[in-house]
Amino acid sequence: MIKRDALLKPLPLVSIAILSIPIFVGYLWVFMRTFTTRMYGMSPVGELTLRNWTFIVTDPLLWHLTLNTFVLAMGLTVGIVLVSCSAAYPLSRMSFPGRKGFLALTLVLHAFPSVVLLIAIFVVLNYLSRVPLIGRGLPLIGGVGYNTLGGVILVSIAFLLPLGVWLMKGFFDNISWDLERAALIDGCSRFRTWRQILVPQIRPGIAALGIFAFMHGWSSFIIPYTFMVDQQTAVISTYLNLLASGEQLMDYGVVSAVALFQLVPILAFYVFTQKYLLTIFGGGMKGGT
Amino acid sequence: MKMELVNLSKKFGDVYAVKNVSLAAEDGELVALLGPSGCGKTTTLLSIAGVYRPTEGEILFNGLCVNKMQPKERDIGMVFQSYALYPHMNAYQNIVFSLVLRKRPKDEMERAAKRVSEMLGIGHLLKRKAAELSGGQQQRVALARALIKEPKLLLFDEPLSNLDARLRLSMREEIKRLQVQLGITSIYVTHDQVEAMTMADRVAVMHDGELLAYVPPEELHERPRTEFIATFIGSPSMNLADVTVDNTGGSAHAVLKNGVSVKIPKERLPRMPQRGNAVRLGIRPEDVSVVAERSADVQARVTFVESLGRENLVVCDVGGQRIQCLTGPGQKPPLDSTVGLKLDMSRAHYFDPESQVSLLWEN
Amino acid sequence: MKDSEARSGTALTQAPQFPRRLNTGPAWFWFLLPAGVITLVFFFAPVIITLVISATNMSTITGLTRWEWVGFGNYERLLSLPQTVRRFWITLRYVLFTLVFFNVGMALLIALITTHIPRQLGTFFRAVWLLPRITPVVAYVFMWQIMAAAPPHGVITSNILEPLGGPTGNLLPANAFLFIVLVNGFIGASFGMIIFTSAIESIRQDIMVASLVDGASKLQRIRYIILPQIRWPLLFVTTYQTLSLLTSYEQILVLTGGRWGTEVWALWAFNVGLDDYYGFFQYGLGAAIAAVLVIMGILFALLYMRYFRFNELLHEPRIDVL
């Protein structure tokens, strides 16, 4: 009996370790491959080298794409935080006609498969392109129409919005009513209460949503891939896709380096912000569990 | 400032939280809203503050209807049970926040903050954040925040209930002292009758959203208008017994269910209810004493004795009727013994068993 | 403040400053405006546009201006196409396998294991399983392409199959279906994992201890205490992930592009409408294919409304000021 128990005890640990092997192997391979000239399976062949890295970091296109990716991620982060915080406040703490309907809508959109709307959104963006001034020709983001960074940011914000609003509403729900009442009595308008008293209280939520949005924007693929056709305006994801599925023989080393180049900031981010992120993955679904 | 509520009602959905409440607080008065939790006292307070809009009725400040005014336009200060200090600001920023919103000059703010913080003895704490203050200190900062705008009306929402017993006592005194000194009309919500009785000039007792009484504290205790007030005020609460009044043959007697009768003094004779002569007799535990069986009104069996420190609470059974009485420190009858009880009938109360209205005091 | 009497004396003259109100409309309107506009432009309009386009012959040839109405033509074409039935079965198989083995099965397994090993190890392995979800999709799929690649580069081929004398060559074309399940599964497992873990951890500790005191083994406790307690999260994850799988195609698009019999319904809509190799985008037909999913999405979403116990999530605001 004792022997059987002793055998069984490490079983959970062993089994999860085995199940996780593909993940470890994948990341390890990419990491190793960027520093070698060739690898057969998991074994490096040939000497260690920094050639892959020097090749990509001296490529001006990649830096341009990095800037684009950063702008996309930042735009999404700032946009989603602002719009969600603003919309979540009245949904959580004001009574007005249609509140219930708007909340229900947010919840429905939360589960709604927005990616199947891309064809229609293509039409919308095309239309927006023809709007003077904002459609095209804005600095940095290019505008908000088709084939602009701004358009991609806007669509990304839209897709993330139900989650953002729902999450922020949860955070607003938890603020004490007395705090807001005190502010109103001290002389704040509700707008001022929101900005000066409530928003500072939900900083953890803003951080969580912001981090999540940044990671989301940094890795996003399908929206830029669909709505940005020029390489000039594309992001690292689309570039990596181009490299990895190219017709010509792919250079595994370079592809790995680009992949890792995109992955490292996210991983670093992830390690430092894991605690917050868990609240978002779980928290967005709050009420469901 | 004089504050009046005229037929104030507040509904949440279909439920009345406050129902047809009318009362007036004279200038400089401290009015306590007293009642068990869920009785509508906080809703009333928040309506006065402008946080809630009344469903019906009017709120008058010096005769002027303020129903449609925003809280910030009402010139009020409020102290909350949870203190509600802004967590991201330090004590000073909390205190002067209302002045910042009114764009007062900096030196004026500093002077005002200095004055109120010295008044409350928190001058040395001004740089601390709310979380770095103890409960009592937070309460003082909250009080300072309410006072700095020199409000015309001060609202207190159970301000002491989160403090420990000793601190509560000293804060009680301090709030009352400040209120008298500054002469600001105040509304004070509490569920603690001792707080209400000791601090208030007048007490408004609320129950299920309705105002049951609005009288000075002594009157509340001595001349309760309803059975609810009689049992709610005073601790331990008043004994109640169903009796019939026998008014035949010169003197009146209250006859208990088991046939024992007690003489009712003439000057304390109740009106008779509309039907029959059955009434409910109420007598406070401090008006019942344990005496030698010879001079007793009734014989009783002791079922429970609890030491309250200065006195003892003796619970007795009189023919199935439970009666509590308070006895002196030396007087602690053994369990299950038979004792004599003397009822001080000159302090008894009588209520109509149907309407539960007092048969002694006019409404 | 000794002048309190004087102050209250003058109060009457101060009081009647009636609130001046700028005519700016209620605050809630402005707070909701940005979100409302975005919702209108990117959810409402697209749903309607999808349905409208699905009734036209719009394509790269007609452009956005010279199209014609075809009524239910696209839907009739859909019904007559031989691919339709095939796509339907592929989608069904893909959703079913991924859901059962990974999004629910693996998720539950990992949640159970990581709550039964030392805390820090549990946190570590959950973090590991979250990696695929946060990794940029192209980079992630690239790892799987390496796994499947032909020797000498491929990991599975050169490290496992070759020494065993198994088949060599790129594994992807021959086992494409297996790989789309794996690729999606390793991402999908983490969602359920997190929901289940938090559900298990929120089971009251006294019940957990009491069951062991009562003589249950750890396995019996899972069977009789934990699983019944997380019944509701199980149901939720199953339904939610069904919809997610039905409509997700990003990973498949990058991994195979739909070749080798892996073109699921949502990818099909994308390929027909927006990503044809020869640049011939049939918006009309693509929209019709997508519309099927839009309708399903709406139905599913309404279903959640019931599951989410919506009314319980609704707190009445306790401030009337607007």
Side-chain angles (χ1 to χ4, degrees):
Chain A
M1 263 326 263
I2 295 165
K3 206 170 168 199
R4 192 175 145 240
D5 275 4
L7 279 175
L8 277 179
K9 200 146 192 289
L11 187 68
L13 201 55
V14 171
S15 43
I16 191 156
I18 292 173
L19 289 174
S20 311
I21 284 176
I23 303 176
F24 288 123
V25 168
Y27 287 85
L28 192 61
W29 191 95
V30 171
F31 181 76
M32 281 161 63
R33 184 61 183 84
T34 59
F35 294 104
T36 52
T37 44
R38 192 177 293 175
M39 265 173 82
Y40 288 159
M42 286 303 289
S43 3
V45 179
E47 76 266 36
L48 289 176
T49 175
L50 288 172
R51 194 179 52 103
N52 298 317
W53 284 103
T54 49
F55 178 78
I56 65 158
V57 298
T58 52
D59 183 359
L61 177 65
L62 186 75
W63 288 109
H64 178 73
L65 299 183
T66 307
L67 177 68
N68 277 346
T69 312
F70 184 76
V71 170
L72 167 58
M74 269 326 273
L76 173 59
T77 306
V78 172
I80 193 77
V81 165
L82 283 179
V83 178
S84 307
C85 274
S86 137
Y89 174 54
L91 289 177
S92 166
R93 301 178 81 88
M94 287 184 181
S95 40
F96 57 88
R99 169 173 176 264
K100 210 171 157 175
F102 211 106
L103 267 176
L105 184 74
T106 312
L107 197 58
V108 166
L109 291 181
H110 204 259
F112 191 80
S114 23
V115 273
V116 300
L117 296 176
L118 288 187
I119 296 172
I121 289 173
F122 166 72
V123 175
V124 171
L125 286 182
N126 242 311
Y127 176 79
L128 279 179
S129 300
R130 276 182 270 135
V131 178
L133 207 62
I134 59 160
R136 278 184 187 285
L138 290 180
L140 204 59
I141 57 165
V144 294
Y146 180 63
N147 208 7
T148 64
L149 211 48
V152 168
I153 292 174
L154 216 54
V155 177
S156 307
I157 291 176
F159 282 13
L160 214 53
L161 193 60
L163 175 85
V165 171
W166 200 251
L167 187 86
M168 284 300 132
K169 180 192 163 287
F171 278 94
F172 275 116
D173 282 347
N174 287 335
I175 301 176
S176 111
W177 284 100
D178 279 351
L179 196 68
E180 192 171 358
R181 289 167 181 162
L184 289 171
I185 288 169
D186 266 353
C188 285
S189 62
R190 287 210 84 167
F191 178 76
R192 191 134 190 182
T193 312
W194 172 74
R195 193 166 59 87
Q196 285 202 308
I197 305 298
L198 299 184
V199 167
Q201 310 313 318
I202 58 164
R203 274 179 301 206
I206 292 177
L209 180 62
I211 291 161
F212 181 75
F214 189 87
M215 289 171 62
H216 195 80
W218 184 265
S219 344
S220 73
F221 169 69
I222 197 84
I223 300 172
Y225 176 72
T226 314
F227 297 129
M228 302 215 299
V229 284
D230 308 341
Q231 212 180 48
Q232 269 300 298
T233 50
V235 292
I236 304 178
S237 286
T238 52
Y239 179 59
L240 185 58
N241 186 51
L242 189 78
L243 289 180
S245 64
E247 298 304 300
Q248 62 278 66
L249 204 62
M250 77 167 106
D251 183 338
Y252 281 124
V254 171
V255 178
S256 299
V258 173
L260 207 60
F261 182 82
Q262 189 189 10
L263 184 57
V264 163
I266 291 297
L267 279 186
F269 227 72
Y270 178 55
V271 169
F272 288 115
T273 59
Q274 220 205 101
K275 206 175 59 191
Y276 290 118
L277 276 173
L278 282 176
T279 56
I280 204 171
F281 283 123
M285 300 296 128
K286 207 164 61 179
T289 53
Chain B
M1 186 193 74
K2 181 177 178 178
M3 196 283 302
E4 279 170 281
L5 304 178
V6 184
N7 300 329
L8 180 79
S9 293
K10 174 67 185 172
K11 260 166 125 176
F12 292 113
D14 294 331
V15 185
Y16 275 101
V18 175
K19 206 167 168 182
N20 210 19
V21 167
S22 296
L23 59 82
E26 298 299 329
D27 186 30
E29 216 178 8
L30 192 152
V31 170
L33 295 182
L34 175 66
S37 60
C39 72
K41 54 191 192 302
T42 298
T43 306
T44 309
L45 193 75
L46 290 174
S47 303
I48 298 171
V51 170
Y52 287 145
R53 293 263 160 91
T55 313
E56 288 146 35
E58 284 192 323
I59 299 164
L60 306 176
F61 285 8
N62 272 342
L64 188 87
C65 175
V66 295
N67 278 27
K68 296 227 166 98
M69 275 195 199
Q70 302 282 344
K72 60 174 176 177
E73 297 155 345
R74 296 191 182 200
D75 205 356
I76 50 179
M78 184 157 173
V79 180
F80 295 88
Q81 176 177 3
S82 59
Y83 321 128
L85 296 182
Y86 311 123
H88 57 296
M89 301 183 185
N90 66 25
Y92 177 78
Q93 289 165 325
N94 262 284
I95 293 171
V96 299
F97 187 57
S98 59
L99 301 187
V100 171
L101 292 172
R102 289 176 197 183
K103 302 197 172 69
R104 313 305 319 195
K106 226 182 177 97
D107 58 322
E108 185 191 323
M109 275 195 288
E110 274 166 17
R111 256 183 288 122
K114 190 160 182 282
R115 198 187 57 223
V116 289
S117 52
E118 272 171 12
M119 198 154 67
L120 287 156
I122 49 170
H124 58 296
L125 302 172
L126 291 181
K127 290 209 174 107
R128 296 210 199 153
K129 289 252 167 112
E132 299 160 356
L133 297 169
S134 71
Q137 290 167 338
Q138 287 189 42
Q139 188 58 279
R140 281 161 195 273
V141 173
L143 202 53
R145 182 175 67 177
L147 288 176
I148 197 168
K149 11 179 195 185
E150 305 188 12
K152 288 186 292 188
L153 181 65
L154 265 176
L155 305 176
F156 296 90
D157 184 12
E158 311 229 10
L160 306 181
S161 54
N162 282 0
L163 299 177
D164 65 55
R166 254 186 44 207
L167 208 51
R168 204 178 306 166
L169 217 68
S170 63
M171 277 307 281
R172 197 161 87 192
E173 277 174 33
E174 189 155 348
I175 290 178
K176 181 64 190 170
R177 183 177 56 77
L178 278 171
Q179 193 267 333
V180 170
Q181 181 192 332
L182 302 174
I184 305 175
T185 315
S186 303
I187 312 294
Y188 190 104
V189 160
T190 179
H191 65 268
D192 179 346
Q193 42 166 307
V194 181
E195 232 170 83
M197 304 289 267
T198 51
M199 296 176 75
D201 297 310
R202 276 193 285 176
V203 180
V205 180
M206 292 187 70
H207 184 54
D208 285 342
E210 289 179 76
L211 182 65
L212 299 186
Y214 182 45
V215 290
E218 317 77 57
E219 215 177 309
L220 206 57
H221 190 270
E222 296 303 315
R223 299 157 82 96
R225 308 298 164 89
T226 65
E227 196 182 299
F228 174 82
I229 295 171
T231 49
F232 183 71
I233 302 292
S235 167
S237 70
M238 184 184 277
N239 296 301
L240 289 174
D242 286 314
V243 298
T244 49
V245 175
D246 176 15
N247 205 358
T248 52
S251 62
H253 287 84
V255 184
L256 281 150
K257 280 231 175 85
N258 58 354
V260 178
S261 76
V262 192
K263 187 166 185 291
I264 305 174
K266 242 193 200 97
E267 63 280 8
R268 199 80 172 183
L269 187 67
R271 283 174 276 125
M272 279 297 111
Q274 270 155 351
R275 269 173 302 161
N277 57 354
V279 301
R280 192 161 291 156
L281 166 72
I283 188 148
R284 295 196 185 275
E286 55 266 37
D287 298 328
V288 181
S289 42
V290 175
V291 294
E293 290 185 30
R294 274 175 290 112
S295 49
D297 293 321
V298 291
Q299 308 292 319
R301 196 171 53 83
V302 178
T303 55
F304 181 71
V305 180
E306 187 179 44
S307 174
L308 300 178
R310 195 153 37 82
E311 54 212 347
N312 296 311
L313 174 68
V314 180
V315 184
C316 304
D317 179 87
V318 182
Q321 172 72 49
R322 191 181 126 106
I323 289 189
Q324 298 181 315
C325 59
L326 287 173
T327 63
Q331 213 175 9
K332 203 170 177 185
L335 273 182
D336 270 337
S337 63
T338 305
V339 294
L341 293 182
K342 178 137 189 75
L343 311 180
D344 184 353
M345 294 302 280
S346 66
R347 298 181 53 81
H349 298 267
Y350 302 90
F351 303 97
D352 184 330
E354 272 172 45
S355 64
Q356 305 193 331
V357 173
S358 171
L359 295 169
L360 282 174
W361 320 115
E362 297 292 337
N363 257 314
Chain C
M1 280 210 256
K2 276 189 186 132
D3 57 347
S4 65
E5 283 161 43
R7 277 192 333 110
S8 51
T10 56
L12 250 179
T13 52
Q14 291 173 0
Q17 2 167 296
F18 264 105
R20 52 185 169 75
R21 230 170 248 132
L22 297 170
N23 198 11
T24 50
W28 60 264
F29 175 80
W30 296 106
F31 277 115
L32 279 176
L33 187 66
V37 169
I38 288 177
T39 311
L40 222 57
V41 174
F42 292 105
F43 285 102
F44 268 115
V47 165
I48 293 165
I49 292 172
T50 301
L51 296 176
V52 170
I53 296 179
S54 75
T56 70
N57 65 352
M58 204 186 282
S59 70
T60 29
I61 295 176
T62 67
L64 294 181
T65 45
R66 286 174 292 110
W67 48 268
E68 283 161 15
W69 295 104
V70 294
F72 286 100
N74 286 319
Y75 294 95
E76 280 160 17
R77 233 180 103 200
L78 254 187
L79 284 177
S80 66
L81 281 175
Q83 296 106 294
T84 308
V85 182
R86 221 165 49 228
R87 300 277 184 281
F88 177 79
W89 286 116
I90 290 171
T91 310
L92 197 69
R93 264 173 57 212
Y94 156 72
V95 170
L96 204 69
F97 277 92
T98 317
L99 190 71
V100 171
F101 289 112
F102 286 95
N103 291 26
V104 176
M106 185 72 90
L108 187 59
L109 190 65
I110 295 170
L112 285 172
I113 292 179
T114 55
T115 47
H116 282 82
I117 57 179
R119 204 173 180 78
Q120 282 175 337
L121 280 172
T123 313
F124 171 74
F125 276 108
R126 280 198 295 273
V128 166
W129 276 84
L130 258 176
L131 280 177
R133 188 172 284 274
I134 59 149
T135 303
V137 60
V138 185
Y140 171 71
V141 170
F142 173 64
M143 291 177 195
W144 283 98
Q145 285 169 334
I146 291 304
M147 298 263 186
H153 301 290
V155 175
I156 300 177
T157 43
S158 45
N159 286 52
I160 302 171
L161 293 179
E162 220 172 34
L164 292 175
T168 53
N170 192 344
L171 298 173
L172 197 51
N175 307 285
F177 183 78
L178 175 69
F179 274 97
I180 65 169
V181 170
L182 286 174
V183 165
N184 280 283
F186 270 82
I187 296 177
S190 53
F191 179 84
M193 170 188 85
I194 284 169
I195 303 275
F196 296 148
T197 306
S198 69
I200 293 172
E201 282 178 347
S202 66
I203 297 176
R204 277 173 41 206
Q205 209 52 42
D206 49 357
I207 298 179
M208 298 287 269
V209 175
S211 62
L212 290 185
V213 174
D214 280 347
S217 71
K218 290 269 170 81
L219 278 178
Q220 283 171 323
R221 183 171 71 175
I222 289 173
R223 166 72 184 80
Y224 293 105
I225 307 292
I226 296 179
L227 287 184
Q229 293 264 350
I230 62 169
R231 212 174 26 201
W232 154 247
L234 267 170
L235 187 69
F236 166 72
V237 169
T238 308
T239 44
Y240 194 92
Q241 294 288 285
T242 307
L243 185 64
S244 300
L245 285 171
L246 261 180
T247 56
S248 71
Y249 53 86
E250 215 174 353
Q251 291 77 18
I252 306 177
L253 171 71
V254 180
L255 186 70
T256 68
R259 285 168 294 170
W260 310 306
T262 56
E263 196 175 42
V264 294
W265 197 277
L267 180 58
W268 188 27
F270 184 77
N271 280 345
V272 169
L274 288 171
D275 200 32
D276 180 73
Y277 182 76
Y278 301 102
F280 176 51
F281 300 169
Q282 307 173 68
Y283 307 129
L285 184 61
I289 304 171
V292 176
L293 289 174
V294 170
I295 305 282
M296 278 180 80
I298 293 174
L299 290 179
F300 261 86
L302 291 175
L303 204 66
Y304 292 129
M305 286 283 294
R306 302 192 70 83
Y307 278 163
F308 262 114
R309 293 181 248 175
F310 180 63
N311 281 321
E312 279 175 37
L313 296 176
L314 212 62
H315 311 278
E316 278 312 310
R318 287 193 266 167
I319 290 182
D320 289 350
V321 183
L322 290 181

